[in-house]
Amino acid sequence: MKVVKELRSWMGPIGIGFIASVFISIFVFQPYKVEGHSMDPTLHDQERIYVSKLSHTFSKLPDYGDIVVIDSRVDRDRTFKDSIVEHPFFQLIAGNTNEEIFYVKRVIGKPGDILEFKNHKVYRNGEAIQEPYIKEAMEFESDKRWVVPDDHIFVMGDNRNNSNDSRNIGFIPLDHSMGIKKLP
């Protein structure tokens, strides 16, 4: 009987700790794992990163050059239920991983920006942007002008020749930007 009583006395603190961890990972910060080589040389395959979720929580627009984790399912609306179901604890129980839907990318364009891809460079609003972080010159070129819509961002990987990004999946709604990784 004493053991059962002792276990019950621990249930409250364990429950509070669990609720606090879910709250923190939904609203404050969360770990993610980099999958693949699209962010080489800045981040590497299987590297673990922590992102601030405050930008997502408060719908803050990330800055140019910020590294963000995005939900690549841009053809659907995100709900609060998504944030609960995607929590690492629930993923562990369900045996799922969400790595295939979450991409780590760099913010290149914000609402209203006009992006062009020519001369193996990215042009934002008519000027070539300086990108010391990219792995190599970009092979991609296009005659198309991309105008970033309101409440969206345009993202690309640092390894431009090996990245599934906004050039393929489209503009990223702000609510699909899960968090920001600030680099030193």
Side-chain angles (χ1 to χ4, degrees):
M1 256 339 200
K2 189 175 182 177
V3 172
V4 171
K5 196 174 195 180
E6 186 71 25
L7 285 174
R8 274 195 217 152
S9 72
W10 282 89
M11 295 309 280
I14 289 172
I16 291 169
F18 174 74
I19 290 169
S21 75
V22 170
F23 177 84
I24 288 170
S25 69
I26 289 174
F27 298 109
V28 182
F29 71 90
Q30 185 171 353
Y32 287 93
K33 184 167 57 170
V34 177
E35 292 285 335
H37 297 279
S38 73
M39 285 302 291
D40 287 346
T42 308
L43 300 172
H44 306 287
D45 185 34
Q46 303 303 306
E47 184 174 340
R48 294 223 177 251
I49 61 172
Y50 287 88
V51 298
S52 169
K53 306 268 304 223
L54 296 175
S55 62
H56 179 73
T57 300
F58 297 112
S59 300
K60 180 184 174 290
L61 186 65
D63 292 326
Y64 295 121
D66 279 351
I67 293 177
V68 293
V69 174
I70 61 158
D71 179 343
S72 65
R73 303 170 295 177
V74 297
D75 56 343
R76 66 186 279 283
D77 291 332
R78 282 193 56 83
T79 64
F80 183 69
K81 180 182 174 190
D82 290 328
S83 295
I84 299 289
V85 172
E86 293 161 358
H87 184 276
F89 177 76
F90 296 108
Q91 290 298 303
L92 182 65
I93 290 173
N96 290 347
T97 60
N98 284 315
E99 278 87 14
E100 68 274 359
I101 61 169
F102 293 119
Y103 296 169
V104 179
K105 303 295 175 191
R106 190 177 295 272
V107 175
I108 302 300
K110 299 197 293 191
D113 285 339
I114 299 169
L115 301 172
E116 298 174 278
F117 304 95
K118 55 188 178 183
N119 306 322
H120 307 286
K121 294 183 180 185
V122 178
Y123 288 78
R124 182 173 49 228
N125 302 323
E127 298 204 15
I129 59 176
Q130 301 302 312
E131 299 182 292
Y133 43 77
I134 65 172
K135 182 174 180 176
E136 59 194 6
M138 178 177 58
E139 294 171 7
F140 179 81
E141 291 192 4
S142 174
D143 293 333
K144 180 178 177 181
R145 297 177 78 207
W146 307 63
V147 180
V148 182
D150 289 341
D151 299 321
H152 287 72
I153 55 176
F154 190 96
V155 298
M156 296 176 77
D158 290 356
N159 184 357
R160 300 289 160 79
N161 299 322
N162 184 21
S163 178
N164 189 19
D165 50 39
S166 286
R167 294 172 290 175
N168 310 99
I169 62 176
F171 301 107
I172 310 301
L174 281 180
D175 68 343
H176 283 57
S177 173
M178 306 310 299
I180 298 173
K181 163 77 173 157
K182 293 285 188 182
L183 293 176

